[in-house]
Amino acid sequence: KQEVTQIPAALSVPEGENLVLNCSFTDSAIYNLQWFRQDPGKGLTSLLLIQSSQREQTSGRLNASLDKSSGRSTLYIAASQPGDSATYLCAVEKDSNYQLIWGAGTKLIIKP
Amino acid sequence: GAGVSQSPSNKVTEKGKDVELRCDPISGHTALYWYRQSLGQGLEFLIYFQGNSAPDKSGLPSDRFSAERTGGSVSTLTIQRTQQEDSAVYLCASSSLGDTGELFFGEGSRLTVL
């Protein structure tokens, strides 16, 4: 049974720092992995999607890596800003069966 | 539309009443998903539509929950005889299969059952 774990559960850093959020999964047979952002009272925003054949994806200050063999993904945020404060969720899709398995999220606070 | 639209954004109802939640996906997206997020818990998959058919309804928590999709577009999630444990944010997402599979979420419908 696929399980997704995100560490840490919460993180607070000063503005400007580079930071890494971690996501681990127990079954390496995945179709893709996605990182999402959730702002309070709002829906989810897809940040990056990494297909199983890919190693990383980049969008602006965000870089997500995927290492299937070790069951790990990291989300790197460069030069953090207060606007980056949100909960970040990773989700794994197994075998293109549309059902995502979600991590519990990392609540990120960027202090001005 | 430009994004996934859900209504109502907030719904307060009394225990035992029926509620309907609506999702209008991105135009042209064939796949539509319903998820539920309860307070302090992760996202829970409810049901998936491919076109108008629902190949997998296994996530629906009880027979009080049903969903339909018409015209390959708008979907309605219906909860009958609501219970307090149904209180949650119900999120809808759509994607265009044949693409990368990226999901686009609506802002959710917050249901409170008193």
Side-chain angles (χ1 to χ4, degrees):
Chain A
K1 176 187 175 186
Q2 178 74 272
E3 293 182 359
V4 180
T5 304
Q6 289 187 249
I7 295 173
L11 181 64
S12 180
V13 300
E15 179 179 5
E17 283 198 5
N18 303 324
L19 57 98
V20 174
L21 306 180
N22 297 294
C23 172
S24 61
F25 46 96
T26 55
D27 187 345
S28 62
I30 64 171
Y31 181 66
N32 64 41
L33 183 145
Q34 299 187 52
W35 282 93
F36 295 86
R37 168 184 173 142
Q38 186 171 31
D39 293 281
K42 295 192 175 184
L44 292 159
T45 301
S46 179
L47 297 173
L48 290 163
L49 181 150
I50 312 177
Q51 300 288 353
S52 62
S53 59
Q54 297 174 323
R55 298 281 294 183
E56 65 177 347
Q57 284 286 332
T58 298
S59 175
R61 295 181 294 107
L62 304 180
N63 175 276
S65 67
L66 175 64
D67 184 344
K68 284 201 308 178
S69 61
S70 65
R72 294 175 62 184
S73 176
T74 60
L75 179 66
Y76 175 83
I77 303 177
S80 58
Q81 302 172 357
D84 296 330
S85 298
T87 296
Y88 290 80
L89 294 145
C90 73
V92 168
E93 184 174 1
K94 179 177 170 62
D95 297 333
S96 184
N97 72 350
Y98 57 80
Q99 188 170 135
L100 294 177
I101 310 299
W102 296 83
T106 295
K107 184 174 183 178
L108 176 65
I109 297 174
I110 306 298
K111 296 175 289 187
Chain B
V4 178
S5 177
Q6 290 188 246
S7 61
S9 56
N10 274 287
K11 176 72 176 180
V12 180
T13 190
E14 294 180 348
K15 177 181 175 181
K17 301 282 189 181
D18 298 350
V19 296
E20 282 190 356
L21 307 177
R22 175 189 167 105
C23 173
D24 196 345
I26 291 174
S27 178
H29 278 191
T30 56
L32 185 147
Y33 312 76
W34 283 99
Y35 292 87
R36 177 169 73 173
Q37 188 171 31
S38 302
L39 187 63
Q41 299 188 22
L43 280 150
E44 176 188 5
F45 168 81
L46 298 179
I47 190 170
Y48 154 72
F49 285 94
Q50 175 56 251
N52 290 335
S53 65
D56 187 351
K57 303 178 182 180
S58 63
L60 295 176
S62 77
D63 58 8
R64 296 186 294 104
F65 287 71
S66 63
E68 64 175 16
R69 188 180 186 193
T70 56
S73 181
V74 172
S75 176
T76 303
L77 178 68
T78 301
I79 309 172
Q80 296 179 308
R81 306 180 301 283
T82 52
Q83 303 293 312
Q84 288 184 331
E85 61 263 29
D86 299 334
S87 296
V89 176
Y90 290 81
L91 288 161
C92 175
S94 69
S95 74
S96 175
L97 291 184
D99 209 344
T100 61
E102 183 179 359
L103 291 182
F104 296 83
F105 282 83
E107 295 200 346
S109 292
R110 181 178 297 277
L111 174 65
T112 303
V113 182
L114 302 176

